[in-house]
Amino acid sequence: MTDSTASRRRGDDLERAIFEAALEELAEVGYANLRMEAVAARAKAGKASLYKRWPDRAHLVRAAARYKATEVDTDFVPGDDVRSDLEKVMRYIAQYQDGPFGEAIRGWVGELGSSPADEAEAEDLRQRIETPRIMVFAKILKHGVDRGTVRPEALQPRVVNLAPNLLTHYFLTRGHAAPQQVIDDILDQVVMPLVSTEHE
């Protein structure tokens, strides 16, 4: 291992520690009370190392949100019941939104501007969040198509991403993650009638 590789690895480890510390702080104090000094102390890092990478808490939280957005299990193995599989993933997303990641997104959206740079960053984060979800939902629906319980039209991208989009809309407009009843309503009143061959 070269010196440059070792240095880079230490840098990556430090960034992960800072991101985790930022998310833990968000969970405890919320975005409005987040302080760079507290994140540095929790991460056991120098305050200067934070400001060297991110000029303020908004930039740090955006980076932490991008980091957390990649933590989706794309290796999910579908079972024999499409609705049950969809519910499991939707509950996971809702739990995710109800934790530090959700607090990070709320804070980030609150300070998001309308400049081209902000719009580009918003699109980048949206892709990071949506792409792994689409992979999992597509896998579940494709398994259903193969078994004859799901319509082939359900594999259209907008249909695949319908359930997570509805969860995100609820989260952003209500300020908290969708409860179980809302997940059930989305599945039973919208998604399953749209994709299931039983409703043909």
Side-chain angles (χ1 to χ4, degrees):
M1 182 184 298
T2 66
D3 290 341
S4 62
T5 302
S7 176
R8 184 169 62 252
R9 182 163 295 177
R10 286 196 297 272
D12 291 343
D13 290 343
L14 177 60
E15 283 201 352
R16 282 193 292 270
I18 292 171
F19 291 151
E20 292 293 347
L23 293 166
E24 290 169 6
E25 280 290 311
L26 281 167
E28 288 188 12
V29 305
Y31 183 81
N33 297 313
L34 185 72
R35 298 291 178 267
M36 297 283 275
E37 294 81 358
V39 174
R42 186 183 287 267
K44 297 180 173 59
K47 185 171 63 174
S49 65
L50 269 70
Y51 282 106
K52 180 180 178 181
R53 292 169 170 82
W54 309 284
D56 53 40
R57 69 177 182 181
H59 286 82
L60 170 59
V61 168
R62 292 174 194 178
R66 286 195 297 269
Y67 160 76
K68 196 69 174 176
T70 62
E71 293 188 358
V72 175
D73 183 12
T74 56
D75 293 328
F76 183 88
V77 178
D80 295 330
D81 188 293
V82 170
R83 188 199 182 283
S84 177
D85 287 342
L86 293 174
E87 181 185 356
K88 287 177 185 176
V89 179
M90 291 173 70
R91 287 175 62 186
Y92 175 83
I93 292 172
Q95 291 170 358
Y96 217 57
Q97 292 172 338
D98 214 25
F101 175 75
E103 185 64 32
I105 292 296
R106 279 192 292 271
W108 174 73
V109 169
E111 294 198 7
L112 187 63
S114 57
S115 70
D118 285 333
E119 292 176 0
E121 189 167 15
E123 177 62 18
D124 173 69
L125 182 57
R126 185 184 68 80
Q127 290 289 344
R128 287 174 183 264
I129 294 172
E130 289 187 359
T131 299
R133 293 179 181 178
I134 291 172
M135 291 174 61
V136 175
F137 278 85
K139 184 184 293 187
I140 293 170
L141 294 174
K142 177 63 165 58
H143 186 65
V145 170
D146 292 343
R147 297 177 66 249
T149 60
V150 171
R151 302 172 188 176
E153 296 80 6
L155 299 181
Q156 294 293 329
R158 291 190 183 277
V159 179
V160 171
N161 209 22
L162 177 60
N165 275 344
L166 291 174
L167 286 181
T168 298
H169 180 267
Y170 185 97
F171 164 72
L172 291 176
T173 57
R174 302 298 180 88
H176 59 84
Q180 183 64 45
Q181 183 59 55
V182 171
I183 293 175
D184 289 338
D185 289 346
I186 291 173
L187 283 170
D188 297 332
Q189 298 176 21
V190 181
V191 177
M192 294 310 298
L194 181 64
V195 307
S196 176
T197 56
E198 295 179 2
H199 293 82
E200 290 181 327

